[in-house]
């Protein structure tokens, strides 16, 4: 059944027009399931009706004509109940309503299933039969599974359709709004720019064309360039290449021959599709036929065809000099769009033109989002309904507060947006003007602010107005940007630069915290549950070689200085701290021995742990005896306390550091830390958010560490509130039932204080 289902969905997604695809689906379901009718109704939310969109079995004239109210008939009932309805005799059902146009008088058995995507009913799919019988469990399971897959395709096709219709010459682009997850606050306007690695037939969105001759020219030029590349490649390879490799090149040449692939692609162009779309349709059809062959050799050839065609597509899309629109050639304000935004991608992109970021995968606390916030660039994450190729080259408005992206905006919307950006700039100027004033509330409570550094490829220092040092230096990025583990000496140089940049200020370096969503390219870890797996201290304790080299490097970098502190990530038990402390002591003794000059200082660094795994909340007194300070990693603490993957867009609405349970945990930590007389900082993202900083202050935290970009903002917030009010606000939030309620209290307070512009668009 699974193979049949896959084949039906595959066939459907190869048809670019949704209406035609649904017809195809209906007749394939009818044929495969041997029923008398299959029909698909889609919801029109504006008019509260389901519209018959495709059918094989009902009267074709009823398509688009029959509209069934959301509360009407059996279709309405399936939508209302949000579950399958399987009945022997539809006519006898109390909710049956007769629609003469569909001509279903002869059908008795009825099975209808809702098509649901992210809690929204998009439509209903039905199977009907003359016989008076209940559909079997298997048939029901088939339709439910198909509906789930269909939901995804309908959502994608809806957006694809709206955008691809806007590409013809002389056709005004149609505005389309899509929603992702707010990743980094701020507003941005720019042209979508996706890097070339995401250009592939799979991601290519089909478009109609106007100038067919021009498209044929583009296609032929693409093939010519590809032929040259293939020739170059085969001549560069050794003459003794094995026969099977030779046969691949022969196949490539045959396919590039104008008489095979070319003829079919050009025929598609003449039907009115652009060069890339025509290639996609022909190749995907070939590939499916090859994949369905019994011979495994032929099945594998499908991969070759797609591979070669991806090269042709790249060449079709390249400009007349054969150059791809790569990120480094960007010359206008742009919004970087990628499947998964990485640190190196951001490092490569010219900063002056990087206005915003859209990541198809990831969520609001993925490290890509944290990085965007650290760079002060608005970002939207988890924009699953669009592909980078789809919005490449289109004008985009991005709202990093709400997660909304507006594609090809109408001029009035653009004007409003630009007005909001100007208001934000004015607010930012006011904040900057007061950046060097003391971070103290109106009733005299002083808060120490620290910087979170290390996530961007640049060297960050504490030279920001009012920062007292680095509260969290994430050491993993230099490890991630290399092709091997950095040597001890390489690490010494890097760490020394950071310690030396602010010798008077404390610098807290966290030991390697890879795993989870921070993989090392040269040390692959394949796990079912990476965030619950071999991550942070667990990995480094299992590899004392890696851990000791890093600690030795930190210690050597600190020779002659007194500002190094070391912090351990992902601690979940006392034993881990004891083991790590032993290794640190060993490294300290080794380096002491190596430093023969007795005048040179080698200070034993203060040792701290991250509080980010819930188990440690119940062992704070024991842990306080072993270390010098605590630092709360609220990002992971939220993830582990709420059992919500911080990187998964599907559950993003459940991940929230303002969940009353998380707030209670944070409150508990500061009270226990004070009782055990151990300093505590918060270095998770909540510390750098206006509402978060106020609540943490109300709880009793006096040290907050955040990205450099937020520092001025938080300084300004604290200077504009009072500790008493912060405590009153905290009291309300601790008894709230949901994070929404907490936000209501916070937003109300910020607006009342004239600080609302910090958490929403505008001033
Ligand atoms: C945290 O978990 O809150 C934290 C600061 O560390 P990271 O985001 O690097 O996991
Ligand atoms: Mg963490």
């Amino acid at each position: 059944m699974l193979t049949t289902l896959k084949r039906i969905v595959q066939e459907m997604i190869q048809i670019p027009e949704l209406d035609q695809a649904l017809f195809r689906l209906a007749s394939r379901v009818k044929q495969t399931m041997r029923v008398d009718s299959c029909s698909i109704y889609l919801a029109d939310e504006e008019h509260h009706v389901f519209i018959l969109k495709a059918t094989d079995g009902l009267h074709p004239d009823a398509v688009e004509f029959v509209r069934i109210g959301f509360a009407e008939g059996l279709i309405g009932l399936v939508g209302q109940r949000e579950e399958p309805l399987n009945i022997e005799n539809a006519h006898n059902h109390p909710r049956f309503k007769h629609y003469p146009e569909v001509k279903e008088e002869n059908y008795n058995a009825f099975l209808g299933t809702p098509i649901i995507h992210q809690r929204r009913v998009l439509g209903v799919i039905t199977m009907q039969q003359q016989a008076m019988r209940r559909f079997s469990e298997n048939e029901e399971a088939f339709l439910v599974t198909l509906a789930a897959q269909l939901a995804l395709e309908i959502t994608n096709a809806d957006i694809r359709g709206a955008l691809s219709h806007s590409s013809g010459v002389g056709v005004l682009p149609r505005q389309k709004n899509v929603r992702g997850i707010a990743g980094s606050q701020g507003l941005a306007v720019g042209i979508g720019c996706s890097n070339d690695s995401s250009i592939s037939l799979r991601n290519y969105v089909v478009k109609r064309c106007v100038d067919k001759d021009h498209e044929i020219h583009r296609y032929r030029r693409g093939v010519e360039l590809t032929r040259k590349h293939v020739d170059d490649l085969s001549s560069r390879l050794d003459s003794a290449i094995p026969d099977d490799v030779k046969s691949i090149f022969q196949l490539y040449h045959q396919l590039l021959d104008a008489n095979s692939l070319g003829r079919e692609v050009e025929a598609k162009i003449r039907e009115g599709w652009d060069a890339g779309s025509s290639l996609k349709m022909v190749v995907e059809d070939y590939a499916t036929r090859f994949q369905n062959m019994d011979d495994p050799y032929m099945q594998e050839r499908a991969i070759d065809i797609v591979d070669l065609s991806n090269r042709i597509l790249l060449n079709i899309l390249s400009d007349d000099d054969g150059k791809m629109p790569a990120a480094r050639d960007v010359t206008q304000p742009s919004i970087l769009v990628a499947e998964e935004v990485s640190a190196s991608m951001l490092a490569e992109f010219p900063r002056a033109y990087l206005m915003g970021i859209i990541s198809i995968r990831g969520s609001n606390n993925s490290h890509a989002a944290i990085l965007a916030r650290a760079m002060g660039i608005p970002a939207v994450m988890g924009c699953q309904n669009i592909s980078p190729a789809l919005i490449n080259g289109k004008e985009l408005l991005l709202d990093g507060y709400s997660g909304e992206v507006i594609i090809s905006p109408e001029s009035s919307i653009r004007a409003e947006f630009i007005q909001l950006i100007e208001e934000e700039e004015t607010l930012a100027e006011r904040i900057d003007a007061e950046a060097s004033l003391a971070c103290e509330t109106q009733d005299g409570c002083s808060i120490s602010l620290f910087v979170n550094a290390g996530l961007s490829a640049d060297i960050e220092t504490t030279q920001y107005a009012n920062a007292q040092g680095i509260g969290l230096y994430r050491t993993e990025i230099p490890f991630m940007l290399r092709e091997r583990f950095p040597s001890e000496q390489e690490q010494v140089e890097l760490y020394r630069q950071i310690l030396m940049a602010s010798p008077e200020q404390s610098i807290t370096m966290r030991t390697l915290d890879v795993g989870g969503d921070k993989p090392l390219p040269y040390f692959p870890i394949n796990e079912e549950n990476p965030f619950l797996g071999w991550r942070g201290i667990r990995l480094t304790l299992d590899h004392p070689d890696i851990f000791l080299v890093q600690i030795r490097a930190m210690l050597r970098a600190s020779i002659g200085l007194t500002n190094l502190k070391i912090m351990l990530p992902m601690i979940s038990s006392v034993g881990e701290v004891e083991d790590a402390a032993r290794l640190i002591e060993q490294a300290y003794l080794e380096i002491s021995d190596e430093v023969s000059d007795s005048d040179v200082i080698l200070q034993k660094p203060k040792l701290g742990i991250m509080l980010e795994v819930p188990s440690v909340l119940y062992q704070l007194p024991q842990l306080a005896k072993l270390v010098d300070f605590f630092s709360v990693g609220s990002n992971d603490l939220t993830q582990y306390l709420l059992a919500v993957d911080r990187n998964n867009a599907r559950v993003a609405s459940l991940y929230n550091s303002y969940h009353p349970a998380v707030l209670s945990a944070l409150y508990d930590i500061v009270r226990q830390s004070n009782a055990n007389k151990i300093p505590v900082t918060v270095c998770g993202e909540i510390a750098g958010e206006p509402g978060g900083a106020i609540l943490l202050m109300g709880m009793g935290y006096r040290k907050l560490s955040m990205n450099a970009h937020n520092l001025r903002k938080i300084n300004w917030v604290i200077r504009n509130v009072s500790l008493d009010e912060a405590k009153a606000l905290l009291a309300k939030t601790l008894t709230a039932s949901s994070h929404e309620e907490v936000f209501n209290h916070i937003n109300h307070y910020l607006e009342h204080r004239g600080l609302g512009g910090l958490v929403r668009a505008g001033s």
Side-chain angles (χ1 to χ4, degrees):
M1 187 191 272
L2 191 60
T3 335
T4 318
L5 209 130
K6 267 193 189 157
R7 202 171 329 120
I8 294 180
V9 175
Q10 267 297 322
E11 273 179 32
M12 178 200 159
I13 58 183
Q14 276 169 25
I15 302 174
E17 298 284 351
L18 180 63
D19 291 358
Q20 288 170 21
L22 293 180
F23 263 103
R24 175 72 173 198
L25 183 85
S27 55
R28 294 288 284 122
V29 171
K30 178 183 154 191
Q31 191 188 16
T32 319
M33 300 308 287
R34 300 205 176 106
V35 290
D36 298 328
S37 164
C38 171
S39 312
I40 298 151
Y41 300 79
L42 293 189
D44 172 347
E45 284 186 8
E46 202 183 324
H47 301 102
H48 292 258
V49 289
F50 289 107
I51 305 175
L52 177 63
K53 282 284 176 186
T55 182
D56 187 350
L58 298 182
H59 199 282
D61 288 351
V63 171
E64 292 290 344
F65 187 71
V66 165
R67 287 157 190 251
I68 302 177
F70 279 174
E72 278 178 2
L74 296 179
I75 301 299
L77 183 61
V78 174
Q80 280 175 317
R81 293 198 348 188
E82 302 187 347
E83 62 180 352
L85 179 67
N86 185 353
I87 40 183
E88 233 180 272
N89 186 345
H91 306 278
N92 284 350
H93 194 280
R95 280 286 295 265
F96 178 78
K97 184 167 173 195
H98 183 55
Y99 294 90
E101 309 81 7
V102 299
K103 310 244 182 304
E104 59 184 346
E105 292 76 9
N106 291 335
Y107 299 143
N108 290 303
F110 172 98
L111 174 61
T113 297
I115 305 167
I116 300 182
H117 183 68
Q118 290 180 341
R119 301 191 183 189
R120 265 182 56 218
V121 178
L122 305 180
V124 173
I125 178 165
T126 62
M127 298 200 298
Q128 287 171 275
Q129 198 143 35
Q130 288 191 7
M132 218 178 280
R133 66 165 182 114
R134 260 181 82 84
F135 285 92
S136 71
E137 276 194 15
N138 259 349
E139 287 166 320
E140 194 174 314
F142 173 87
L143 205 64
V144 169
T145 320
L146 183 70
Q149 296 207 17
L150 192 55
L152 220 66
E153 292 311 323
I154 290 175
T155 316
N156 292 345
D158 178 34
I159 290 162
R160 270 204 299 263
L163 294 173
S164 55
H165 284 128
S166 63
S167 58
V169 178
V171 181
L172 270 183
R174 199 146 53 96
Q175 175 178 311
K176 186 80 196 168
N177 298 25
V178 286
R179 193 170 279 277
I181 299 156
S184 171
Q185 292 192 341
L187 304 174
V189 181
I191 301 297
C193 180
S194 79
N195 65 338
D196 37 3
S197 65
S198 52
I199 294 176
S200 68
L201 282 185
R202 199 169 150 261
N203 292 338
Y204 192 77
V205 181
V206 291
K207 301 183 192 81
R208 305 291 296 179
C209 75
V210 175
D211 186 347
K212 295 174 186 169
D213 290 340
H214 176 64
E215 291 304 307
I216 290 183
H217 167 76
R218 285 177 75 211
Y219 172 69
R220 289 185 184 165
R221 198 181 56 99
V223 170
E224 258 333 288
L225 284 171
T226 313
R227 195 192 303 279
K228 274 198 213 123
H229 289 167
V230 171
D231 283 349
D232 281 358
L233 208 66
S234 50
S235 63
R236 257 190 280 139
L237 287 172
D238 190 21
S239 55
I241 51 173
D243 282 352
D244 53 346
V245 179
K246 270 189 203 141
S247 69
I248 292 174
F249 281 104
Q250 276 161 9
L251 177 76
Y252 278 6
H253 275 289
Q254 279 162 19
L255 285 169
L256 288 168
D257 186 344
N259 283 328
S260 56
L261 200 67
R263 205 175 26 195
E264 290 186 45
V265 174
E266 292 188 12
K268 278 273 175 224
I269 295 177
R270 291 209 174 80
E271 283 173 23
W273 299 104
D274 80 348
S277 310
S278 305
L279 180 71
K280 176 184 169 91
M281 291 182 221
V282 172
V283 168
E284 287 187 345
D285 186 39
Y286 264 105
T288 321
R289 275 191 260 157
F290 274 66
Q291 272 159 359
N292 290 341
M293 289 179 185
D294 291 334
D295 180 351
Y297 174 82
M298 294 313 280
Q299 285 171 358
E300 290 212 355
R301 298 291 67 81
I303 301 170
D304 296 329
I305 294 172
V306 173
D307 182 51
L308 179 76
S309 306
N310 279 336
R311 285 166 199 257
I312 302 178
L313 181 68
L314 265 165
N315 287 323
I316 290 176
L317 297 179
S318 65
D319 63 20
D320 290 340
D321 304 328
K323 269 196 346 214
M324 284 308 299
R328 55 197 162 278
D329 299 330
V330 172
T331 53
Q332 57 187 336
S334 301
I335 292 183
L336 170 67
V337 192
E339 280 291 330
E340 193 139 31
V341 173
S342 68
S344 51
M345 219 179 255
L346 289 178
E348 256 184 30
F349 207 95
R351 181 66 187 89
Y353 296 119
L354 184 57
M355 300 294 120
I357 296 166
I358 297 178
S359 187
I360 307 302
R361 282 205 286 270
S363 190
N364 59 342
N365 260 298
S366 313
H367 283 88
I370 295 179
L371 182 51
R373 292 197 283 269
M375 293 171 80
I377 302 171
V380 172
M381 312 291 297
C383 239
Q384 289 170 328
N385 292 334
I386 45 177
S387 74
L390 193 71
I391 51 177
N392 193 32
K394 293 212 159 65
E395 184 178 40
L396 307 175
L397 306 181
L398 182 155
D399 182 342
Y401 296 97
S402 66
E404 190 169 31
V405 177
I406 304 177
I407 306 162
S408 305
E410 287 160 12
S411 55
S412 58
I413 303 283
R414 187 197 301 109
E416 265 177 42
F417 209 80
I418 288 175
Q419 161 84 26
L420 289 174
I421 292 181
E422 282 165 7
E423 285 178 22
E424 299 229 306
E425 283 166 359
T426 314
L427 182 62
E429 279 164 21
R430 277 178 63 200
I431 292 175
D432 283 355
E434 298 187 9
S436 55
L437 300 178
C439 185
E440 194 178 294
T441 59
Q442 292 176 340
D443 48 359
C445 171
S446 264
I447 303 291
S448 305
L449 303 185
F450 294 82
V451 177
N452 287 353
L455 258 191
S456 91
D458 307 329
I459 298 284
E460 292 141 310
T461 65
T462 57
Q463 263 120 47
Y464 302 100
N466 263 330
Q468 315 251 317
I470 292 183
L472 165 66
Y473 180 79
R474 291 179 166 101
T475 56
E476 38 282 351
I477 296 295
F479 284 73
M480 289 163 76
L481 293 180
R482 283 184 168 71
E483 280 162 9
R484 53 169 176 76
F485 282 103
S487 69
E488 183 174 316
Q489 188 53 31
E490 282 170 329
Q491 291 187 56
V492 171
E493 283 161 25
L494 177 68
Y495 302 153
R496 179 117 190 125
Q497 230 177 331
I498 293 149
L499 294 172
M500 290 282 286
S502 326
E504 306 301 321
Q505 299 186 313
S506 79
I507 309 287
T508 305
M509 293 196 172
R510 182 174 74 182
T511 62
L512 193 63
D513 184 21
V514 289
D517 68 341
K518 289 180 289 190
L520 291 178
Y522 46 87
F523 192 70
I525 306 168
N526 288 320
E527 291 179 319
E528 294 263 330
N529 285 312
F531 276 115
L532 297 184
W534 209 33
R535 202 199 143 181
I537 196 74
R538 301 171 178 184
L539 186 151
T540 49
L541 282 180
D542 285 351
H543 269 283
D545 43 343
I546 300 171
F547 188 72
L548 281 169
V549 166
Q550 187 176 39
I551 299 292
R552 283 176 53 91
M554 287 179 182
L555 292 171
R556 280 179 56 203
S558 77
I559 290 175
L561 296 165
T562 55
N563 58 343
L564 169 69
K565 290 181 178 174
I566 294 180
M567 182 154 75
L568 308 171
M570 272 296 284
I571 292 294
S572 59
S573 64
V574 172
E576 287 165 340
V577 185
E578 288 167 344
D579 291 346
R582 228 182 344 263
L583 290 172
I584 294 172
E585 179 69 16
Q586 176 188 327
Y588 177 74
L589 293 176
E590 284 167 15
I591 307 290
S592 304
D593 274 354
E594 290 168 24
V595 180
S596 44
D597 185 345
S598 58
D599 291 339
V600 176
I601 325 168
L602 175 67
Q603 185 169 292
K604 199 180 249 186
K606 288 214 154 66
L607 179 64
I609 55 169
M610 301 271 301
L611 305 183
E612 50 186 351
V613 177
S615 59
V616 293
L617 265 68
Y618 304 96
Q619 290 200 299
L620 290 180
Q622 297 91 310
L623 290 163
K625 291 196 190 107
L626 295 176
V627 294
D628 304 300
F629 64 94
F630 292 152
S631 186
V632 187
S634 55
N635 307 339
D636 278 315
L637 188 61
T638 303
Q639 146 164 283
Y640 296 125
L641 210 52
L642 302 182
V644 180
D645 180 345
R646 66 194 265 189
N647 206 29
N648 183 344
R650 282 205 195 99
V651 287
S653 60
L654 300 176
Y655 179 99
N656 203 301
S657 297
Y658 297 81
H659 188 299
V662 179
L663 294 181
S664 295
L666 292 169
Y667 192 25
D668 192 30
I669 290 173
V670 70
R671 285 184 297 184
Q672 284 203 58
S673 302
N674 290 342
N676 285 283
K677 299 197 173 28
I678 181 160
V680 61
T681 312
V682 180
C683 65
E685 293 297 297
I686 191 172
E689 294 162 2
I694 297 173
L695 292 182
L696 292 169
M697 184 175 72
M699 291 176 194
Y701 288 96
R702 295 293 174 262
K703 290 181 180 182
L704 304 176
S705 191
M706 64 203 68
N707 71 57
H709 185 77
N710 281 343
L711 208 91
R712 288 161 186 239
K713 195 155 70 174
I714 297 302
N715 186 29
W716 199 64
V717 168
I718 288 174
R719 297 187 52 261
N720 279 286
V721 299
S722 72
L723 180 60
D724 277 350
E725 285 172 0
K727 285 183 181 164
L729 180 64
L730 174 70
K732 285 187 191 154
T733 58
L734 286 174
T735 54
S737 332
S738 64
H739 69 254
E740 287 91 351
E741 205 183 311
V742 172
F743 280 142
N744 283 343
H745 289 304
I746 293 177
N747 293 345
H748 184 262
Y749 175 67
L750 290 176
E751 293 291 351
H752 161 72
R753 269 290 184 176
L755 301 168
L758 296 173
V759 290
R760 52 152 170 80
S763 58

